[in-house]
Amino acid sequence: MENNSEIRPFTIDIAQADLDDLRDRLGRTRWTTDLPGVGWSRGVPVSYLRGLAEYWRDGYDWRVHERELNGYPQFTTEIDGQNIHFLHVRSPEPDALPLILTHGWPGSIVEFLPVIGPLTDPRAHGGDPADAFHLVIPSIPGSGLSGPTGEAGWDTNRVTRAFAELMDRLGYERYGAQGGDTGAVVSPGLGRLNPGKVVGVHVNGVSAFSDVNPDEMGELTEAEQARLKRMEYLRSEQSGYVMMQISRPQTLAHGLHDSPAGQLAWIVEKFKEWTDPAAELPEDAVDRDLLLTNVMLYWLTGTAGSSANSYYETAHAGAWGASERSTVPTGVAVFPLDVSIRRTLELEHTIVHWSEFGRGGHFAAMEAPDLLVGDIREFFGSLR
């Protein structure tokens, strides 16, 4: 993975013509119709989507959020022939522990904006300076500012190898890994790949690749039984997007790449379904501007297709399953609607820390940053 190992400073600078084009497309959306009385049961209602799209066109200011992102040090480097974009936010505390944060789909580096300050500079956020981290926050190849992938084969194992190379390139010989969704596959993968360098792995939104043993069903807690029912619901009612992305991502890409309303609907549905169940609408769980900034990183970079294609690559490479049990100390944070069951996860991970929370959801860093930060600090506190 040598290629060109130069690390180049990067600044987001979206052409005004691209923003004007987006506004024009939103203004010319050909809206569909709803069946009466079905709500969200068949997907995103047009009345909701139309209102959100109108705010995106007339109320949301990309330049504000572009400046916020550019307030953090950003870089790009080429690894294994692919551009890799990442934030690299060093803590003011010299003894801080390096930590790589990995997002999932349909997330992005935007997910982690609420936790950057508390993790890198706990002294300034009412915390203990001994809990500080140097943060590396990459954009997964094929997503956002890493840009579309230029060739086939970028499954999660290849992403993991690239991120290991990134940490080596930055000179980090000892570090932690954290992530949710796809990040909950890549982060343990880093531990399996480099157990001598990765001191601990912390995950949220993680599920096991093996099912509960039928003989052990009666031993499950009430909460675990509810998670099993949730898993069955996900398989029966919410697997459509997965099947599309692992089978025909290119067909899907044409609509999402051409229509911002289509891209918005494809992503916002997951923010409705996967966020805190106490939230009636996505923006009740996640700041509306933060949600739209996340969507913008897909739209402006043209990565709807390549991010969907990562599902195809991983499924066809058989890379979703754990290759071996990780020996690296692992912490698991369980938020509402997560389907994590400890006994199955312990077949794949060395779990030394387990927390369950009553608020938050799949996008924990955006929904409940205080809970996630506290759990990350507690887990890594004994591993430094």
Side-chain angles (χ1 to χ4, degrees):
M1 292 191 187
E2 285 309 309
N3 293 318
N4 177 9
S5 61
E6 180 188 1
I7 294 175
R8 300 170 295 275
F10 178 82
T11 302
I12 305 171
D13 185 16
I14 299 299
Q16 185 59 41
D18 291 342
L19 302 180
D20 294 341
D21 174 70
L22 169 61
R23 193 168 189 277
D24 179 62
R25 286 171 185 264
L26 286 169
R28 291 186 298 107
T29 302
R30 184 175 178 229
W31 295 105
T32 185
T33 56
D34 282 336
L35 289 173
V38 300
W40 286 78
S41 64
R42 307 183 187 208
V44 185
V46 67
S47 57
Y48 173 80
L49 191 69
R50 190 166 192 162
L52 186 58
E54 287 173 356
Y55 173 75
W56 191 11
R57 186 189 70 210
D58 297 326
Y60 171 84
D61 186 349
W62 162 254
R63 295 300 185 198
V64 169
H65 304 285
E66 183 181 68
R67 285 193 294 273
E68 180 187 2
L69 285 164
N70 283 333
Y72 297 106
Q74 297 176 73
F75 304 88
T76 60
T77 192
E78 182 183 308
I79 300 177
D80 198 12
Q82 172 67 31
N83 178 65
I84 304 288
H85 164 271
F86 61 99
L87 304 184
H88 187 197
V89 189
R90 297 272 301 177
S91 171
E93 308 296 340
D95 296 329
L97 177 68
L99 179 67
I100 180 169
L101 302 176
T102 304
H103 66 83
W105 184 91
S108 67
I109 59 169
V110 170
E111 280 188 68
F112 296 114
L113 292 180
V115 302
I116 291 175
L119 288 177
T120 58
D121 194 3
R123 189 192 301 268
H125 291 81
D128 184 343
D131 288 329
F133 296 91
H134 300 307
L135 296 182
V136 179
I137 310 175
S139 300
I140 290 178
S143 292
L145 294 160
S146 283
T149 41
E151 61 181 3
W154 277 95
D155 61 77
T156 51
N157 285 339
R158 190 171 175 183
V159 172
T160 300
R161 293 192 298 271
F163 286 1
E165 167 65 19
L166 174 62
M167 295 303 279
D168 286 348
R169 200 170 283 187
L170 293 172
Y172 290 136
E173 292 297 313
R174 185 176 182 275
Y175 58 92
Q178 199 284 331
D181 194 87
T182 305
V185 178
V186 171
S187 301
L190 286 167
R192 291 186 181 94
L193 190 64
N194 284 322
K197 294 181 178 180
V198 178
V199 300
V201 171
H202 184 280
V203 289
N204 60 281
V206 63
S207 57
F209 294 101
S210 53
D211 291 326
V212 175
N213 185 328
D215 295 335
E216 298 178 347
M217 293 290 283
E219 300 174 24
L220 296 181
T221 67
E222 189 176 327
E224 289 172 333
Q225 290 175 5
R227 286 173 205 151
L228 272 187
K229 288 182 180 178
R230 167 75 178 165
M231 177 64 81
E232 287 305 312
Y233 170 74
L234 291 174
R235 288 172 175 167
S236 63
E237 287 290 322
Q238 289 198 15
S239 60
Y241 84 98
V242 175
M243 294 310 299
M244 192 68 187
Q245 296 193 158
I246 69 175
S247 62
R248 297 295 182 268
Q250 189 57 41
T251 302
L252 174 69
H254 298 299
L256 302 189
H257 187 85
D258 186 62
S259 167
Q263 177 69 93
L264 181 63
W266 192 246
I267 291 178
V268 81
E269 179 194 283
K270 301 308 165 208
F271 277 83
K272 163 64 174 175
E273 298 283 0
W274 295 350
T275 49
D276 192 323
E280 184 178 347
L281 294 172
E283 61 266 33
D284 296 331
V286 172
D287 178 81
R288 181 170 57 169
D289 274 20
L290 205 60
L291 172 59
L292 289 172
T293 301
N294 182 70
V295 174
M296 285 291 268
L297 286 191
Y298 284 86
W299 176 259
L300 294 172
T301 60
T303 51
S306 54
S307 62
N309 191 61
S310 67
Y311 275 63
Y312 181 99
E313 300 287 3
T314 298
H316 286 77
W320 262 321
S323 56
E324 59 189 23
R325 186 173 187 270
S326 173
T327 60
V328 174
T330 300
V332 179
V334 185
F335 291 88
L337 301 185
D338 283 348
V339 292
S340 309
I341 295 176
R342 184 162 185 164
R343 69 184 60 222
T344 55
L345 287 172
E346 283 181 332
L347 299 174
E348 302 167 11
H349 310 273
T350 301
I351 297 175
V352 300
H353 173 96
W354 184 275
S355 301
E356 300 187 8
F357 297 103
R359 63 178 169 90
H362 188 76
F363 304 95
M366 301 170 89
E367 296 182 67
D370 58 327
L371 297 181
L372 185 65
V373 165
D375 206 58
I376 291 171
R377 288 174 177 170
E378 183 181 346
F379 169 68
F380 283 104
S382 62
L383 301 173
R384 291 173 177 268

